[in-house]
PDB file of all heavy atoms in Angstrom:
ATOM      1  N   PHE A  19     110.479 106.166  96.179  1.00 94.00           N
ATOM      2  CA  PHE A  19     109.929 107.486  96.434  1.00 94.00           C
ATOM      3  C   PHE A  19     110.844 108.565  95.812  1.00 94.00           C
ATOM      4  O   PHE A  19     112.096 108.494  95.913  1.00 94.00           O
ATOM      5  CB  PHE A  19     109.750 107.729  97.926  1.00 94.00           C
ATOM      6  CG  PHE A  19     108.607 107.004  98.532  1.00 94.00           C
ATOM      7  CD1 PHE A  19     108.584 105.606  98.613  1.00 94.00           C
ATOM      8  CD2 PHE A  19     107.469 107.710  98.969  1.00 94.00           C
ATOM      9  CE1 PHE A  19     107.489 104.926  99.126  1.00 94.00           C
ATOM     10  CE2 PHE A  19     106.393 107.047  99.514  1.00 94.00           C
ATOM     11  CZ  PHE A  19     106.368 105.671  99.624  1.00 94.00           C
ATOM     12  N   LYS A  20     110.251 109.540  95.156  1.00 91.00           N
ATOM     13  CA  LYS A  20     110.985 110.416  94.293  1.00 91.00           C
ATOM     14  C   LYS A  20     112.103 111.269  95.064  1.00 91.00           C
ATOM     15  O   LYS A  20     113.243 111.233  94.759  1.00 91.00           O
ATOM     16  CB  LYS A  20     110.095 111.426  93.619  1.00 91.00           C
ATOM     17  CG  LYS A  20     110.719 112.436  92.700  1.00 91.00           C
ATOM     18  CD  LYS A  20     109.736 113.339  92.028  1.00 91.00           C
ATOM     19  CE  LYS A  20     110.477 114.346  91.163  1.00 91.00           C
ATOM     20  NZ  LYS A  20     109.552 115.374  90.541  1.00 91.00           N
ATOM     21  N   LYS A  21     111.639 111.997  96.099  1.00 96.00           N
ATOM     22  CA  LYS A  21     112.517 112.804  96.892  1.00 96.00           C
ATOM     23  C   LYS A  21     112.376 112.357  98.363  1.00 96.00           C
ATOM     24  O   LYS A  21     111.254 112.273  98.906  1.00 96.00           O
ATOM     25  CB  LYS A  21     112.123 114.306  96.821  1.00 96.00           C
ATOM     26  CG  LYS A  21     112.380 114.905  95.373  1.00 96.00           C
ATOM     27  CD  LYS A  21     113.815 115.217  95.152  1.00 96.00           C
ATOM     28  CE  LYS A  21     114.007 115.961  93.834  1.00 96.00           C
ATOM     29  NZ  LYS A  21     115.399 116.296  93.582  1.00 96.00           N
ATOM     30  N   VAL A  22     113.481 112.098  99.012  1.00 97.00           N
ATOM     31  CA  VAL A  22     113.481 111.672 100.400  1.00 97.00           C
ATOM     32  C   VAL A  22     114.530 112.413 101.199  1.00 97.00           C
ATOM     33  O   VAL A  22     115.692 112.505 100.810  1.00 97.00           O
ATOM     34  CB  VAL A  22     113.708 110.149 100.583  1.00 97.00           C
ATOM     35  CG1 VAL A  22     113.691 109.758 102.074  1.00 97.00           C
ATOM     36  CG2 VAL A  22     112.657 109.338  99.839  1.00 97.00           C
ATOM     37  N   TYR A  23     114.100 113.052 102.326  1.00 98.00           N
ATOM     38  CA  TYR A  23     114.981 113.813 103.176  1.00 98.00           C
ATOM     39  C   TYR A  23     114.964 113.209 104.616  1.00 98.00           C
ATOM     40  O   TYR A  23     113.998 112.500 104.971  1.00 98.00           O
ATOM     41  CB  TYR A  23     114.489 115.247 103.216  1.00 98.00           C
ATOM     42  CG  TYR A  23     114.364 115.933 101.873  1.00 98.00           C
ATOM     43  CD1 TYR A  23     113.206 115.785 101.100  1.00 98.00           C
ATOM     44  CD2 TYR A  23     115.392 116.703 101.350  1.00 98.00           C
ATOM     45  CE1 TYR A  23     113.102 116.343  99.808  1.00 98.00           C
ATOM     46  CE2 TYR A  23     115.277 117.269 100.129  1.00 98.00           C
ATOM     47  CZ  TYR A  23     114.166 117.102  99.359  1.00 98.00           C
ATOM     48  OH  TYR A  23     114.056 117.699  98.094  1.00 98.00           O
ATOM     49  N   CYS A  24     116.031 113.500 105.240  1.00 98.00           N
ATOM     50  CA  CYS A  24     116.151 112.985 106.637  1.00 98.00           C
ATOM     51  C   CYS A  24     116.292 114.145 107.592  1.00 98.00           C
ATOM     52  O   CYS A  24     117.164 115.015 107.346  1.00 98.00           O
ATOM     53  CB  CYS A  24     117.420 112.057 106.685  1.00 98.00           C
ATOM     54  SG  CYS A  24     117.704 111.301 108.298  1.00 98.00           S
ATOM     55  N   ASN A  25     115.608 114.167 108.687  1.00 98.00           N
ATOM     56  CA  ASN A  25     115.640 115.222 109.652  1.00 98.00           C
ATOM     57  C   ASN A  25     115.938 114.640 111.035  1.00 98.00           C
ATOM     58  O   ASN A  25     115.446 113.605 111.379  1.00 98.00           O
ATOM     59  CB  ASN A  25     114.319 116.024 109.743  1.00 98.00           C
ATOM     60  CG  ASN A  25     114.118 116.661 111.081  1.00 98.00           C
ATOM     61  OD1 ASN A  25     113.423 116.116 111.934  1.00 98.00           O
ATOM     62  ND2 ASN A  25     114.748 117.828 111.261  1.00 98.00           N
ATOM     63  N   GLU A  26     116.788 115.350 111.774  1.00 98.00           N
ATOM     64  CA  GLU A  26     117.082 114.977 113.179  1.00 98.00           C
ATOM     65  C   GLU A  26     117.438 116.165 113.999  1.00 98.00           C
ATOM     66  O   GLU A  26     118.131 117.042 113.514  1.00 98.00           O
ATOM     67  CB  GLU A  26     118.209 113.893 113.218  1.00 98.00           C
ATOM     68  CG  GLU A  26     117.833 112.553 113.714  1.00 98.00           C
ATOM     69  CD  GLU A  26     117.300 112.584 115.173  1.00 98.00           C
ATOM     70  OE1 GLU A  26     117.677 113.448 115.958  1.00 98.00           O
ATOM     71  OE2 GLU A  26     116.523 111.704 115.477  1.00 98.00           O
ATOM     72  N   LEU A  27     116.914 116.217 115.257  1.00 97.00           N
ATOM     73  CA  LEU A  27     117.368 117.261 116.152  1.00 97.00           C
ATOM     74  C   LEU A  27     118.735 116.999 116.681  1.00 97.00           C
ATOM     75  O   LEU A  27     119.503 117.953 116.946  1.00 97.00           O
ATOM     76  CB  LEU A  27     116.398 117.261 117.325  1.00 97.00           C
ATOM     77  CG  LEU A  27     116.452 118.423 118.337  1.00 97.00           C
ATOM     78  CD1 LEU A  27     116.205 119.753 117.620  1.00 97.00           C
ATOM     79  CD2 LEU A  27     115.431 118.208 119.504  1.00 97.00           C
ATOM     80  N   SER A  28     119.172 115.774 116.774  1.00 96.00           N
ATOM     81  CA  SER A  28     120.459 115.363 117.217  1.00 96.00           C
ATOM     82  C   SER A  28     121.482 115.340 116.110  1.00 96.00           C
ATOM     83  O   SER A  28     121.294 114.644 115.135  1.00 96.00           O
ATOM     84  CB  SER A  28     120.412 113.988 117.904  1.00 96.00           C
ATOM     85  OG  SER A  28     121.726 113.463 118.021  1.00 96.00           O
ATOM     86  N   ALA A  29     122.529 116.195 116.228  1.00 97.00           N
ATOM     87  CA  ALA A  29     123.590 116.195 115.252  1.00 97.00           C
ATOM     88  C   ALA A  29     124.312 114.841 115.118  1.00 97.00           C
ATOM     89  O   ALA A  29     124.685 114.383 114.072  1.00 97.00           O
ATOM     90  CB  ALA A  29     124.619 117.266 115.598  1.00 97.00           C
ATOM     91  N   ASP A  30     124.416 114.219 116.291  1.00 97.00           N
ATOM     92  CA  ASP A  30     125.060 112.845 116.321  1.00 97.00           C
ATOM     93  C   ASP A  30     124.263 111.819 115.495  1.00 97.00           C
ATOM     94  O   ASP A  30     124.826 111.066 114.677  1.00 97.00           O
ATOM     95  CB  ASP A  30     125.205 112.365 117.750  1.00 97.00           C
ATOM     96  CG  ASP A  30     126.287 113.091 118.485  1.00 97.00           C
ATOM     97  OD1 ASP A  30     127.153 113.666 117.874  1.00 97.00           O
ATOM     98  OD2 ASP A  30     126.309 113.016 119.716  1.00 97.00           O
ATOM     99  N   PHE A  31     122.967 111.839 115.632  1.00 97.00           N
ATOM    100  CA  PHE A  31     122.183 110.921 114.934  1.00 97.00           C
ATOM    101  C   PHE A  31     122.036 111.264 113.416  1.00 97.00           C
ATOM    102  O   PHE A  31     121.980 110.408 112.616  1.00 97.00           O
ATOM    103  CB  PHE A  31     120.743 110.784 115.539  1.00 97.00           C
ATOM    104  CG  PHE A  31     120.677 109.598 116.551  1.00 97.00           C
ATOM    105  CD1 PHE A  31     120.762 109.880 117.909  1.00 97.00           C
ATOM    106  CD2 PHE A  31     120.570 108.329 116.148  1.00 97.00           C
ATOM    107  CE1 PHE A  31     120.722 108.808 118.790  1.00 97.00           C
ATOM    108  CE2 PHE A  31     120.509 107.284 117.032  1.00 97.00           C
ATOM    109  CZ  PHE A  31     120.606 107.519 118.390  1.00 97.00           C
ATOM    110  N   LEU A  32     122.019 112.574 113.117  1.00 98.00           N
ATOM    111  CA  LEU A  32     121.987 112.980 111.699  1.00 98.00           C
ATOM    112  C   LEU A  32     123.267 112.513 111.029  1.00 98.00           C
ATOM    113  O   LEU A  32     123.199 112.044 109.892  1.00 98.00           O
ATOM    114  CB  LEU A  32     121.833 114.466 111.610  1.00 98.00           C
ATOM    115  CG  LEU A  32     121.507 114.961 110.187  1.00 98.00           C
ATOM    116  CD1 LEU A  32     120.051 114.495 109.780  1.00 98.00           C
ATOM    117  CD2 LEU A  32     121.543 116.482 110.113  1.00 98.00           C
ATOM    118  N   HIS A  33     124.395 112.655 111.678  1.00 98.00           N
ATOM    119  CA  HIS A  33     125.656 112.139 111.234  1.00 98.00           C
ATOM    120  C   HIS A  33     125.656 110.621 110.985  1.00 98.00           C
ATOM    121  O   HIS A  33     126.105 110.112 109.992  1.00 98.00           O
ATOM    122  CB  HIS A  33     126.855 112.567 112.115  1.00 98.00           C
ATOM    123  CG  HIS A  33     128.146 112.022 111.727  1.00 98.00           C
ATOM    124  ND1 HIS A  33     128.901 112.555 110.643  1.00 98.00           N
ATOM    125  CD2 HIS A  33     128.961 110.959 112.168  1.00 98.00           C
ATOM    126  CE1 HIS A  33     130.023 111.868 110.494  1.00 98.00           C
ATOM    127  NE2 HIS A  33     130.020 110.895 111.451  1.00 98.00           N
ATOM    128  N   ALA A  34     125.001 109.936 111.975  1.00 97.00           N
ATOM    129  CA  ALA A  34     124.872 108.482 111.871  1.00 97.00           C
ATOM    130  C   ALA A  34     124.061 108.105 110.692  1.00 97.00           C
ATOM    131  O   ALA A  34     124.367 107.100 109.993  1.00 97.00           O
ATOM    132  CB  ALA A  34     124.242 107.925 113.159  1.00 97.00           C
ATOM    133  N   ALA A  35     122.984 108.839 110.412  1.00 98.00           N
ATOM    134  CA  ALA A  35     122.117 108.572 109.230  1.00 98.00           C
ATOM    135  C   ALA A  35     122.922 108.738 107.932  1.00 98.00           C
ATOM    136  O   ALA A  35     122.765 107.977 106.989  1.00 98.00           O
ATOM    137  CB  ALA A  35     120.924 109.451 109.290  1.00 98.00           C
ATOM    138  N   LYS A  36     123.764 109.818 107.846  1.00 98.00           N
ATOM    139  CA  LYS A  36     124.621 110.002 106.699  1.00 98.00           C
ATOM    140  C   LYS A  36     125.587 108.848 106.559  1.00 98.00           C
ATOM    141  O   LYS A  36     125.731 108.351 105.372  1.00 98.00           O
ATOM    142  CB  LYS A  36     125.375 111.355 106.871  1.00 98.00           C
ATOM    143  CG  LYS A  36     124.504 112.583 106.807  1.00 98.00           C
ATOM    144  CD  LYS A  36     125.434 113.797 107.010  1.00 98.00           C
ATOM    145  CE  LYS A  36     124.573 115.054 106.970  1.00 98.00           C
ATOM    146  NZ  LYS A  36     125.384 116.249 107.220  1.00 98.00           N
ATOM    147  N   GLN A  37     126.138 108.358 107.618  1.00 98.00           N
ATOM    148  CA  GLN A  37     127.065 107.297 107.507  1.00 98.00           C
ATOM    149  C   GLN A  37     126.389 105.995 107.051  1.00 98.00           C
ATOM    150  O   GLN A  37     126.918 105.259 106.237  1.00 98.00           O
ATOM    151  CB  GLN A  37     127.706 107.051 108.892  1.00 98.00           C
ATOM    152  CG  GLN A  37     128.582 108.161 109.424  1.00 98.00           C
ATOM    153  CD  GLN A  37     129.852 108.314 108.527  1.00 98.00           C
ATOM    154  OE1 GLN A  37     130.606 107.443 108.359  1.00 98.00           O
ATOM    155  NE2 GLN A  37     129.986 109.533 107.985  1.00 98.00           N
ATOM    156  N   LEU A  38     125.166 105.706 107.570  1.00 98.00           N
ATOM    157  CA  LEU A  38     124.477 104.546 107.153  1.00 98.00           C
ATOM    158  C   LEU A  38     124.070 104.608 105.704  1.00 98.00           C
ATOM    159  O   LEU A  38     124.198 103.632 104.982  1.00 98.00           O
ATOM    160  CB  LEU A  38     123.270 104.336 108.090  1.00 98.00           C
ATOM    161  CG  LEU A  38     122.393 103.096 107.820  1.00 98.00           C
ATOM    162  CD1 LEU A  38     123.283 101.786 107.957  1.00 98.00           C
ATOM    163  CD2 LEU A  38     121.221 103.050 108.716  1.00 98.00           C
ATOM    164  N   ALA A  39     123.582 105.748 105.303  1.00 98.00           N
ATOM    165  CA  ALA A  39     123.181 105.898 103.847  1.00 98.00           C
ATOM    166  C   ALA A  39     124.400 105.670 102.931  1.00 98.00           C
ATOM    167  O   ALA A  39     124.219 104.959 101.922  1.00 98.00           O
ATOM    168  CB  ALA A  39     122.642 107.333 103.596  1.00 98.00           C
ATOM    169  N   ALA A  40     125.564 106.162 103.281  1.00 97.00           N
ATOM    170  CA  ALA A  40     126.753 105.922 102.509  1.00 97.00           C
ATOM    171  C   ALA A  40     127.124 104.416 102.491  1.00 97.00           C
ATOM    172  O   ALA A  40     127.485 103.917 101.464  1.00 97.00           O
ATOM    173  CB  ALA A  40     127.914 106.760 103.026  1.00 97.00           C
ATOM    174  N   ALA A  41     127.028 103.784 103.688  1.00 97.00           N
ATOM    175  CA  ALA A  41     127.398 102.407 103.769  1.00 97.00           C
ATOM    176  C   ALA A  41     126.475 101.517 102.894  1.00 97.00           C
ATOM    177  O   ALA A  41     126.822 100.485 102.353  1.00 97.00           O
ATOM    178  CB  ALA A  41     127.359 101.936 105.231  1.00 97.00           C
ATOM    179  N   MET A  42     125.188 101.904 102.845  1.00 97.00           N
ATOM    180  CA  MET A  42     124.200 101.148 102.030  1.00 97.00           C
ATOM    181  C   MET A  42     124.123 101.596 100.565  1.00 97.00           C
ATOM    182  O   MET A  42     123.313 101.038  99.816  1.00 97.00           O
ATOM    183  CB  MET A  42     122.819 101.257 102.720  1.00 97.00           C
ATOM    184  CG  MET A  42     122.760 100.680 104.117  1.00 97.00           C
ATOM    185  SD  MET A  42     121.135 100.840 104.917  1.00 97.00           S
ATOM    186  CE  MET A  42     120.136  99.652 103.960  1.00 97.00           C
ATOM    187  N   LYS A  43     124.905 102.645 100.264  1.00 97.00           N
ATOM    188  CA  LYS A  43     124.908 103.219  98.935  1.00 97.00           C
ATOM    189  C   LYS A  43     123.533 103.599  98.431  1.00 97.00           C
ATOM    190  O   LYS A  43     123.049 103.342  97.260  1.00 97.00           O
ATOM    191  CB  LYS A  43     125.494 102.204  97.949  1.00 97.00           C
ATOM    192  CG  LYS A  43     126.987 101.880  98.232  1.00 97.00           C
ATOM    193  CD  LYS A  43     127.544 100.906  97.180  1.00 97.00           C
ATOM    194  CE  LYS A  43     129.090 100.755  97.364  1.00 97.00           C
ATOM    195  NZ  LYS A  43     129.507 100.346  98.726  1.00 97.00           N
ATOM    196  N   ILE A  44     122.814 104.329  99.328  1.00 98.00           N
ATOM    197  CA  ILE A  44     121.492 104.924  99.021  1.00 98.00           C
ATOM    198  C   ILE A  44     121.627 106.408  99.225  1.00 98.00           C
ATOM    199  O   ILE A  44     122.040 106.912 100.260  1.00 98.00           O
ATOM    200  CB  ILE A  44     120.435 104.323  99.912  1.00 98.00           C
ATOM    201  CG1 ILE A  44     120.231 102.888  99.754  1.00 98.00           C
ATOM    202  CG2 ILE A  44     119.080 105.075  99.672  1.00 98.00           C
ATOM    203  CD1 ILE A  44     119.229 102.191 100.732  1.00 98.00           C
ATOM    204  N   SER A  45     121.359 107.158  98.143  1.00 97.00           N
ATOM    205  CA  SER A  45     121.489 108.600  98.168  1.00 97.00           C
ATOM    206  C   SER A  45     120.226 109.289  98.532  1.00 97.00           C
ATOM    207  O   SER A  45     119.186 109.228  97.735  1.00 97.00           O
ATOM    208  CB  SER A  45     121.988 109.121  96.816  1.00 97.00           C
ATOM    209  OG  SER A  45     123.285 108.546  96.462  1.00 97.00           O
ATOM    210  N   LEU A  46     120.190 109.906  99.700  1.00 98.00           N
ATOM    211  CA  LEU A  46     119.017 110.719 100.081  1.00 98.00           C
ATOM    212  C   LEU A  46     119.207 112.111  99.494  1.00 98.00           C
ATOM    213  O   LEU A  46     120.286 112.535  99.102  1.00 98.00           O
ATOM    214  CB  LEU A  46     118.873 110.779 101.583  1.00 98.00           C
ATOM    215  CG  LEU A  46     118.590 109.408 102.235  1.00 98.00           C
ATOM    216  CD1 LEU A  46     118.317 109.650 103.725  1.00 98.00           C
ATOM    217  CD2 LEU A  46     117.469 108.736 101.622  1.00 98.00           C
ATOM    218  N   ASP A  47     118.107 112.951  99.487  1.00 97.00           N
ATOM    219  CA  ASP A  47     118.097 114.220  98.826  1.00 97.00           C
ATOM    220  C   ASP A  47     118.492 115.357  99.719  1.00 97.00           C
ATOM    221  O   ASP A  47     118.615 116.479  99.240  1.00 97.00           O
ATOM    222  CB  ASP A  47     116.751 114.425  98.180  1.00 97.00           C
ATOM    223  CG  ASP A  47     116.415 113.389  97.084  1.00 97.00           C
ATOM    224  OD1 ASP A  47     116.893 113.557  95.966  1.00 97.00           O
ATOM    225  OD2 ASP A  47     115.750 112.411  97.412  1.00 97.00           O
ATOM    226  N   GLY A  48     118.571 115.125 100.990  1.00 97.00           N
ATOM    227  CA  GLY A  48     118.988 116.156 101.956  1.00 97.00           C
ATOM    228  C   GLY A  48     118.897 115.739 103.315  1.00 97.00           C
ATOM    229  O   GLY A  48     118.115 114.789 103.734  1.00 97.00           O
ATOM    230  N   PHE A  49     119.725 116.310 104.172  1.00 98.00           N
ATOM    231  CA  PHE A  49     119.807 116.080 105.617  1.00 98.00           C
ATOM    232  C   PHE A  49     119.617 117.377 106.361  1.00 98.00           C
ATOM    233  O   PHE A  49     120.366 118.341 106.086  1.00 98.00           O
ATOM    234  CB  PHE A  49     121.120 115.446 106.055  1.00 98.00           C
ATOM    235  CG  PHE A  49     121.342 114.048 105.423  1.00 98.00           C
ATOM    236  CD1 PHE A  49     121.844 113.972 104.187  1.00 98.00           C
ATOM    237  CD2 PHE A  49     120.989 112.908 106.145  1.00 98.00           C
ATOM    238  CE1 PHE A  49     122.076 112.661 103.639  1.00 98.00           C
ATOM    239  CE2 PHE A  49     121.166 111.639 105.598  1.00 98.00           C
ATOM    240  CZ  PHE A  49     121.760 111.506 104.336  1.00 98.00           C
ATOM    241  N   ILE A  50     118.582 117.399 107.256  1.00 98.00           N
ATOM    242  CA  ILE A  50     118.217 118.684 107.951  1.00 98.00           C
ATOM    243  C   ILE A  50     118.371 118.509 109.415  1.00 98.00           C
ATOM    244  O   ILE A  50     117.636 117.705 110.035  1.00 98.00           O
ATOM    245  CB  ILE A  50     116.827 119.064 107.560  1.00 98.00           C
ATOM    246  CG1 ILE A  50     116.634 119.118 106.040  1.00 98.00           C
ATOM    247  CG2 ILE A  50     116.426 120.433 108.207  1.00 98.00           C
ATOM    248  CD1 ILE A  50     115.178 119.102 105.601  1.00 98.00           C
ATOM    249  N   GLU A  51     119.212 119.281 110.052  1.00 98.00           N
ATOM    250  CA  GLU A  51     119.376 119.225 111.493  1.00 98.00           C
ATOM    251  C   GLU A  51     118.429 120.244 112.099  1.00 98.00           C
ATOM    252  O   GLU A  51     118.332 121.439 111.667  1.00 98.00           O
ATOM    253  CB  GLU A  51     120.790 119.604 111.912  1.00 98.00           C
ATOM    254  CG  GLU A  51     121.051 119.537 113.405  1.00 98.00           C
ATOM    255  CD  GLU A  51     122.466 119.851 113.791  1.00 98.00           C
ATOM    256  OE1 GLU A  51     123.395 119.857 112.904  1.00 98.00           O
ATOM    257  OE2 GLU A  51     122.701 120.197 115.017  1.00 98.00           O
ATOM    258  N   GLY A  52     117.705 119.882 113.179  1.00 97.00           N
ATOM    259  CA  GLY A  52     116.857 120.785 113.887  1.00 97.00           C
ATOM    260  C   GLY A  52     115.456 120.205 114.050  1.00 97.00           C
ATOM    261  O   GLY A  52     115.220 119.000 113.943  1.00 97.00           O
TER     262      GLY A  52
END
């Protein structure tokens, strides 16, 4: 999929998503809290 973003209301889970993306070496196009 061309552009993929991740959204979470929880700052803890958004941070967790960033950590998982880095560990899997998959680059998402943006992370949005709220």
